[in-house]
Amino acid sequence: MIKKKVILTGSFGVGKTSLFNRFVYSKFDEKYLTTIGVKVDKKSLTIEGKEVTLLLWDIAGEISQDKVPNSYFLESSAIIYVFDLTRPSTYANMEFDLTHLEKMVPGVLVKIVANKKDLVTDEELEKVLKEVNKFPDVITSAKTGENVENLFVDIAKSLISNAV
Amino acid sequence: MQFNNKLKDRQLILLDEQGCIIASCDSIFSTLEMRDEPVFKDFPLVESIFDIAKKMKLNEPKLRFSKIETTFKELNGFYDFTFVKTDIDHRRPILWTILDYTRLYEDYHRTQQNRQEIAIAKELLREQS
């Protein structure tokens, strides 16, 4: 069995825990409850006949990623960088954060996720996508579940193909 | 093997190379029913860092993870986990220490929750105006 550590990171309140809960437990809670440290759980997927277990780390949101303890990133295979489509402060530091993450874990697979799609109109979405430095890999809604499963399946597929 | 630990907010557990419990002081929870297989099912965090812990050398600084929320039903609060390689009778088990900081971190959690809710509300107001 293939096991891979995947980290959810990004500023506070962007929906990391909601994405985690949606994917692992198929649930969503409207109430925002901050994560102060770390929660870890796992979920197994079968991709092209191979079983891959994603060990998911939902870590406390920090305005800047250099505040996250280095030990959390040890031996991680993928990092999901989440931002909130409704809050510019959550993507303002994206370039700095991504550079920092690449330095911490060279060569790691990084997926940029724009979350809370359910809260923006098509026009607002278009406006944000023009503002961000890096185009997101996936646009999700943890509330409706849109693209959440796809996000993790894509990561598992990429990690399997890298492992071969 | 037995531990002599009198602190109720700290549990010491020795893990073998497979992640199975060799000994535990059971101060916070009983491990009697958990001895036959690796602890990974109950503690995905331990599974996740176990290869790193196994590769640690003696006297290497502890690996520490703070403010952990677990899915294990006996641990409902906030905990710190540390891992360090030890030398006991020429064996090299991993000493896993669970520190119960629930009371301390609950206060921190409340403060952080308030602070972040205010910051989010202010930003959203700014965006709307």
Side-chain angles (χ1 to χ4, degrees):
Chain A
M1 189 210 292
I2 302 167
K3 282 190 224 169
K4 297 288 177 184
K5 176 175 169 183
V6 179
I7 292 182
L8 284 142
T9 192
S11 189
F12 61 86
V14 296
K16 296 182 294 297
T17 303
S18 296
L19 289 167
F20 178 95
N21 287 338
R22 168 63 71 189
F23 177 61
V24 181
Y25 314 116
S26 302
K27 69 176 190 185
F28 177 80
D29 192 340
E30 287 280 356
K31 187 174 163 31
Y32 168 56
L33 203 58
T34 187
T35 305
I36 59 166
V38 60
K39 292 174 196 158
V40 182
D41 211 338
K42 61 183 173 181
K43 185 165 173 174
S44 295
L45 299 167
T46 303
I47 309 284
E48 293 151 14
K50 291 175 191 151
E51 194 179 353
V52 55
T53 298
L54 299 181
L55 289 152
L56 299 159
W57 286 51
D58 171 23
I59 59 179
E62 295 287 355
I63 294 169
S64 179
Q65 293 307 299
D66 56 357
K67 303 279 188 298
V68 178
N70 295 3
S71 58
Y72 286 12
F73 293 100
L74 286 170
E75 304 222 346
S76 49
S77 298
I79 295 174
I80 301 172
Y81 182 87
V82 188
F83 72 87
D84 177 345
L85 284 163
T86 69
R87 287 167 53 217
S89 73
T90 66
Y91 49 83
N93 294 328
M94 194 191 305
E95 210 160 344
F96 171 84
D97 284 343
L98 294 173
T99 306
H100 176 73
L101 293 171
E102 173 61 30
K103 261 189 218 158
M104 293 264 291
V105 199
V108 72
L109 173 71
V110 177
K111 290 276 183 190
I112 301 168
V113 174
N115 191 36
K116 305 196 186 180
K117 185 174 176 252
D118 53 285
L119 294 181
V120 292
T121 61
D122 288 347
E123 291 74 28
E124 287 167 335
L125 176 63
E126 203 176 318
K127 183 173 168 276
V128 174
L129 294 180
K130 278 181 189 159
E131 281 173 16
V132 292
N133 294 321
K134 294 247 184 186
F135 203 83
D137 296 292
V138 193
I139 299 166
T140 57
S141 165
K143 183 174 180 176
T144 64
E146 184 176 350
N147 276 335
V148 176
E149 187 82 12
N150 291 344
L151 164 68
F152 290 97
V153 168
D154 280 354
I155 288 172
K157 279 183 182 168
S158 301
L159 294 177
I160 281 184
S161 61
N162 289 347
V164 173
Chain B
M1 191 182 297
Q2 282 193 329
F3 280 116
N4 199 6
N5 173 35
K6 294 196 170 69
L7 297 172
K8 285 184 180 169
D9 57 0
R10 185 179 72 172
Q11 182 152 342
L12 305 174
I13 299 173
L14 276 182
L15 297 173
D16 68 13
E17 287 275 301
Q18 277 68 49
C20 295
I21 296 171
I22 304 168
S24 168
C25 66
D26 285 7
S27 307
I28 302 175
F29 62 91
S30 169
T31 57
L32 279 178
E33 306 284 318
M34 302 168 64
R35 300 283 174 120
D36 296 334
E37 52 186 46
V39 296
F40 303 150
K41 198 179 111 200
D42 293 313
F43 294 97
L45 186 144
V46 180
E47 179 175 15
S48 202
I49 60 90
F50 201 66
D51 282 343
I52 303 165
K54 275 202 300 190
K55 283 184 225 158
M56 288 175 84
K57 295 185 171 64
L58 284 175
N59 304 320
E60 201 171 315
K62 285 175 186 170
L63 201 53
R64 185 178 195 116
F65 300 94
S66 292
K67 307 180 194 85
I68 298 165
E69 292 173 63
T70 79
T71 48
F72 184 60
K73 60 181 185 301
E74 307 282 341
L75 297 182
N76 293 312
F78 297 101
Y79 305 85
D80 281 9
F81 288 180
T82 68
F83 301 87
V84 68
K85 211 50 166 306
T86 57
D87 182 3
I88 298 173
D89 299 333
H90 305 295
R91 288 155 70 192
R92 297 278 192 273
I94 292 158
L95 175 61
W96 169 27
T97 307
I98 299 172
L99 300 141
D100 185 353
Y101 285 138
T102 303
R103 287 177 65 182
L104 176 72
Y105 288 152
E106 271 177 354
D107 285 342
Y108 177 79
H109 186 260
R110 260 191 298 276
T111 309
Q112 192 81 323
Q113 178 84 30
N114 290 339
R115 193 182 294 153
Q116 292 181 351
E117 277 179 3
I118 291 167
I120 292 168
K122 273 185 181 171
E123 185 174 358
L124 292 177
L125 272 175
R126 236 188 352 257
E127 283 303 301
Q128 283 165 12
S129 62

